[in-house]
Amino acid sequence: MKRNSFFYFIVILLVAVFTALSGCVPNALPSGRETAGGQTEAGNEQTADGGGQTGNGNGQTADGGGQVGNGQTDNGGGQTETADGGRGFFAGVRSAGVAVGGKEYPLYDLDGIDKAEVRVTAVNQADGSEIGGRLNAAGEFTADLPVGAYTVRYEYGGNVYEDRNVAVVEGQRTEYAGRVSLAALGGTVVAPRTGGGAAADRSFQAGSDLADAGGNWNLLGGRRDAVRVETYTYVYQHQVVGDRYYVETVLDPAEYRPVGGVIYGQYIAGLLLSHGPDSLSGVNPYSFKIIASVIDNKLCYAFTGAGWGVSGMVAAAELSGIATGAEPVKLGAVRDGTAYYLFVNGVFVHRFSYAHITGASGFGIAGSLAAAEFTGFNYSARPETVDALTEYAEASIRAKSGGALRDIDVYLIAGQSNAAGYSGFEPIRGALLDDNKNNLTGFGGVYYYGRGISNANAAADNATDTGGILQLAKAGLGNTGNHIGPELGMANALSEVYGDKPVGLIKLASGGTSLFDNIDGENARDGNWCPPSYTEAAAIAPKSPELTGGLYRLLLRTVGDAARAYRGAGFRIRVKGLYWMQGESNRGNAALYRATMKVFVADIRKDLSVVTGENLSGMPFFIGEISRTYFSAAAETVAANEAFIRMQNALAAECPNAYIVRSSGYDVNRWVGGGDQVVGSDRHHWSGADAFAIGKLVGRAMAE
């Protein structure tokens, strides 16, 4: 027994010596396989669909290189037994990718990259020792690593991808396919110009075609996929333009703040989705820009016009359940011509269209009055990848609209300028924030669709107009992004009544327009509100087949369009009432107005029933009183206005299920020292504070 024990001891000792010696000899391994897919970085947040994930704020994406652990194979690599029992490590290379519906698509075609410029480093997590080198011409790297857990880092073109959970197991070979990115922020694009041709445009105030820093921006750590921006600036992806592409980045809320004393609604920094044909530097009439971001855990995007001020901000969606609001968030977007699809943490969230940018453009990162840091920037112009993302988004929309729809109560707004929203809210922006920050960032459960038109400045053609987009109700939905109508106060009141239950608003209003068949002035563009039965009953020939009743018909089309937009979000609208704020243009003929309005109420109930498929024959109709000091506080003007207001009250009593909103006491002018003193936004329109208060009155009355 002793001799046998000694024999076994000698065998074990020889095996141990041989194993130790073999660990010192480089082990050349045969080529491994590249695979699609990838394992997430340990500790990173999982996206809602299990797809591509953000990194930990340093630009590392969790859809970075594939990895394995505990003997399990996972797409990017795995362990297989070696012929000699060694501990081999084989590394290949593949493109950074994006997960779509459980499948991963590469962002880049890597045929043209210089594989010898790809550096691979394996860092032993136990002692910090590193083994690394560059890929060979075939895109391979081999090494013999001690058993343990490793962080594997791939570096190429100034970008770094890491995977912190790669295991090397005794007697097995670890196969790993790390990722590389072709992102190159700080570059130059050659884009079309308004007058024809094309011209080069560098990143803002860059000193070279591919720079590390410029005006109000600098790369982070010299990396081409990470950048810091501040105030007004833009940073292009180098030498890539088009009208169909995907772009993504990671935003850290902890590094995101306004600058220059501005507050919500006045600043944004994020993905530059596209831009108009002129240079973005300076003030150019066609340099429209779309910037997407996440603010206050809401998906937002802004249309900026000739300058860089934020005037058309959309709060697209509340992100509860998709993002935490405190941790880094991955924002992605597809541009498909004039259509845009937005993704947050791999989840499709929102689609919109923008007709003002039709040609090829660059993309990248941009900011307006904000300081922020972005990491993990990537893009793709591969048709297969863009197709997959677009179809995934459209399938999500179809699933919502074609599935079980949720009923949503909606309230309609129509009329002229005090319905459209000509009340400036800048003087009360701070007060609105103090009252409820959702006034500026968007009410998560209150949706809005519609447009407040100002024919004087052609807002319907303005590049910052956000009409026709289903969004969250907030300030800035008047005739411009600096004005409000009744929708803001209504959103406040309705959010209190409905709580967590979704509720919606639909608006179509146009400044200076008439209930009568007037086709001049403000009516010359979209027409008037004249109801169809009025001219029929009176046997009066319409003055214009297009303009007579043009706004009446546009309201019907807007409600139909809104119903489809709500359906795309998974809702079936249920109209609960219409608020009518109009009459200032017609106050000189109260008798004709009274007769015409009775026809209008009957017609609109009948025609909305057809549009919505509901029986709206008894739809509640709310009539807003005009201000008693509209235009002037002079005694004769006040007397004429008050006569019209008495008619409005009589009209509400005569029409079934009609109600009055007592807003006449909110003055827009006061008589001081023998003359008018404007106390509204101007002599025609309520102040922002009064418009907000009146909206609350309307919302409470309609929701009772």
Side-chain angles (χ1 to χ4, degrees), residues 4-22:
N4 288 340
S5 298
F6 179 76
F7 174 79
Y8 291 137
F9 170 78
I10 292 298
V11 170
I12 293 171
L13 179 61
L14 290 173
V15 170
V17 171
F18 177 81
T19 301
L21 290 174
S22 65

Side-chain angles (χ1 to χ4, degrees), residues 430-634:
L432 290 174
L433 178 63
D434 292 339
D435 176 75
N436 187 334
K437 70 177 181 179
N438 291 329
N439 286 324
L440 302 182
T441 65
F443 287 86
V446 184
Y447 294 88
Y448 170 89
Y449 183 98
R451 175 177 283 122
I453 301 172
S454 169
N455 289 325
N457 64 6
D461 286 338
N462 194 304
T464 62
D465 176 36
T466 64
I469 296 172
L470 184 63
Q471 55 189 290
L472 304 181
K474 65 173 187 60
L477 296 173
N479 71 316
T480 76
N482 296 317
H483 293 84
I484 60 173
E487 67 284 335
L488 181 61
M490 292 175 68
N492 270 262
L494 293 174
S495 67
E496 294 173 0
V497 173
Y498 281 81
D500 294 333
K501 183 180 178 182
V503 61
L505 299 169
I506 301 172
K507 180 172 80 173
L508 190 282
S510 183
T513 51
S514 173
L515 179 67
F516 306 154
D517 194 9
N518 298 334
I519 59 174
D520 56 356
E522 299 290 287
N523 305 282
R525 176 181 167 132
D526 295 312
N528 55 52
W529 293 100
C530 190
S533 294
Y534 179 77
T535 54
E536 295 170 7
I540 299 172
K543 292 183 179 179
S544 166
E546 294 81 21
L547 299 179
T548 299
L551 285 172
Y552 180 96
R553 294 187 296 274
L554 183 56
L555 173 60
L556 297 177
R557 290 198 299 272
T558 299
V559 173
D561 292 342
R564 285 183 286 275
Y566 276 98
R567 189 178 184 90
F571 296 113
R572 178 190 297 107
I573 68 169
R574 294 291 185 232
V575 176
K576 307 301 289 185
L578 187 152
Y579 169 54
W580 176 253
M581 186 60 245
Q582 194 274 339
E584 295 92 340
S585 295
N586 304 123
R587 72 194 194 286
N589 195 336
L592 179 59
Y593 191 90
R594 187 173 184 171
T596 310
M597 271 303 299
K598 291 180 181 179
V599 177
F600 182 93
V601 173
D603 278 0
I604 201 67
R605 285 171 169 165
K606 178 185 66 176
D607 290 335
L608 282 174
S609 296
V610 175
V611 170
T612 64
E614 300 181 68
N615 179 4
L616 297 177
S617 58
M619 178 188 69
F621 195 94
F622 294 80
I623 301 170
E625 294 176 336
I626 68 170
S627 172
R628 67 186 188 91
T629 61
Y630 174 81
F631 189 72
S632 173

